Amino acid sequence: MEFSPVCTPEDISTDGCIIKPDRGRRKRKVSRDVEMDIEFLYKAVPQLAKVFRIIDKIGEGTFSSVYLGEAQMRDGTKEMFALKHLIPTSHPTRIAAELQCLTVAGGRENVVGVTYCFRKEDHVVIVMPYMEHQAIVDIIGSLSFEEVRLYIYHLLKALKHIHQFGIIHRDIKPNNFLYNRKRKTYALVDFGLAQGTCDTQIELLKDLTGLRKSSRPVFGERNLNSYTPAPTNTKQAAIKTEVVKPRRTDDAASQKYSSATWGPLPVRTQTSSQKPVQQGLTCNCYLTDRVCNICLSRKPQVAPRAGTPGFRAPEVLTKCPNQGTAIDMWSAGVILLSLLSGRYPFFKASDDLIALAQIMTIRGSRETVKAAKSFGKAVVCSRELPRQDLRTLCETLRGRRPSPDNEVTPLPEATRNSSEARHRKIQDDTPTHRPTEATFKPHKEEAGESPAALLCTHPNNQKDSSSKNATARRPTQRKAEEDEGGWDRVPDEAYDLLDKLLDLNPSTRITATQALQHPLFKDL
Ligand code: ADP
Ligand code: MG
Ligand code: ZN
C-alpha cells in the first residue's frame, strides 16, 4: 500500500500545528500538546509501542481521540492506521457494540473496517485502516455537482449496508463520512452512538437498550461545555421554542393545533398520544408562551436523541420514542442540502427546538406540525413559515439567484481560506460547540424573529431564471459552464431526492435502498 507525503513545510503554522489535512508519510511536526497526548497514549496502552509509531492526532471529540499510527508490516512495508482511543469512562457494552458494528458490517460498502483492538484496563484503542481524507468544510466551495452526486451515492450505499444489519448510525454527518477526493474513496466511521433496530443483527446493540444512562450518553450533547452559543445574534433565538409536557388527549390537541390557532406563540412540542397527566393538575400554560410550574415538574420525556442537533430528524428533535433507520436518511438529506446550497453547517442550532424551528423555515411549519402529529407529537409554532422551494433555496444560497435583499453571501466565510477552517481539522464538527460563521443571515423585516432561511424569495417569483438554464447554449458558453462545476445545470432529480430525504414524516421518508434507485443515479 502506498501513501503520499504527510505534509509539506507550508502545512506547519507558526505555532507548530499541522494546519492541512494529512497527505501521507513525510515527517511531520506536531504541537507540544499533541506530543504529550501521544506520550500519554503510549503509557496507557504500552502494547501500542511494539506495533506503531504514533505520528499525530487526527481527530478529537468528547468520546475519543483519534491518532495516526504507522506500522511496519511483516513484508517490510509500512502501513498507516487510525487509532481510536476511547475515553476510559465509555461503558464496556458501548465499546463492544461499536466494535461489533465494525466487525460485522465494516470493511466493505464504504464502511470502515477494523484491524485490531487493544485494551489495557479501561483504555481501549480501536485500530482501523487509515483513510486519508479532506474535510467537507474545507472543500465545499470547490466541489462540483458531480462530486456531490457521487458523495451522496456512496453515503447511501453505506447506509443501505448498515441498515440491512439493523444498525442505526445516529450520527450521520460529513465528519463521520470520510471522503478522499482524489481517489474517490469513501468511509463511514464512528459507530459510537449507533443503536439497533428492533430486529438488529448486532447482538450487542440489543443490550444497549437499558443503557441509556451510560457514561457515553446515548442522548447527550457533545462538548457542550466548550462552547456557549450566543443566542442573541441569531434569529432562531427569537422564535421561542419550548417542550411542553402532555396534558390533553389527541382530539383536544388536534383541535387546539388547527391552523386557526396560529398566533403569537412559541414553537412547542408535546406528546399528543399520552394520557392526560394527573386529573385535577391541569395547568394554565397551554397555548401560552410560558411554561408553568406544573409542566416544569413533569417527568422528562425519555427518547434517544444522540447526534448533532443540526443533523437530527424531526422525530429525534421531538423525542419520538420509535426511531428507526429513517433518522439516518434525514441526516443524509441535511448533508445533501448543505452540499447543494454550498453552506456548511447548514443548520446550526444549539438546541433541539431551535433546530426544529430552522427545519420549519425550510420545510414549512404547517407541514412540520402535520408530520409531527403523525408520529404522536403536537408542535406549536408562533407564526406560519411557508415551505420553500428547494431549488430556489439552494440556488439563492449559492449566489446563483439574486437574493431578495442582497444580504445573502454566496458562501459562508467558514468555507473560505480562514485559519479557523484549517484548524478545524482535528476538531469535532458538532455545530453546537464550534463557533463558525452563521449559516443564515437575517432578513430585514424578520430580523430577530425567525430562522433566516426565510430570506429566500417565494418560489413562484423565481421560475423564469431556472427555465433559462434549460435553453440551448452556444459553444462559447460551454467553457464557462464547465468552470461552474455543473452548478448551472443541476437536474430536477437532485432536488426531488433531497425532498424525499427531507420528508418530515419518517414513515414515508425514502429508504437507502429506494434512494439508490432514484433517477438521479440511473447511470451508476
Ligand atoms: P468520535 O466518536 O470522537 O467522533 P470518530 O470515529 O468519528 O470519533 O473519529 C473522529 C475523527 O477521526 C473523524 O472525523 C476522522 O477525521 C478521523 N478518523 C476516524 N477514523 C478514521 C480513519 N479510519 N481514517 C482516517 N481518519 C479517521
Ligand atoms: Mg465522529
Ligand atoms: Zn403548564
Side-chain angles (χ1 to χ4, degrees), residues 411-462:
L411 286 171
E413 286 303 309
T415 66
R416 296 186 191 280
N417 200 21
S418 68
S419 61
E420 198 275 321
R422 278 179 266 129
H423 278 288
R424 187 236 66 261
K425 173 69 182 128
I426 62 162
Q427 298 174 332
D428 187 77
D429 68 349
T430 311
T432 46
H433 71 262
R434 182 182 308 140
T436 50
E437 290 293 316
T439 301
F440 302 115
K441 288 202 169 185
H443 185 286
K444 271 184 244 144
E445 283 155 39
E446 325 291 356
E449 273 183 22
S450 60
L454 283 170
L455 54 80
C456 278
T457 48
H458 199 269
N460 296 341
N461 309 330
Q462 299 288 325

Side-chain angles (χ1 to χ4, degrees), residues 58-64 66 82 84 112 128-133 175-176 178 189-190 216 222 425 428:
I58 52 175
E60 185 169 75
T62 307
F63 305 113
S64 80
V66 181
K84 179 169 178 173
V112 78
M128 298 165 277
Y130 172 69
M131 181 166 139
E132 191 191 330
H133 59 279
N175 273 17
N176 289 334
L178 313 183
V189 301
D190 197 357
R216 178 154 186 171
R222 294 186 167 201
K425 173 69 182 128
D428 187 77

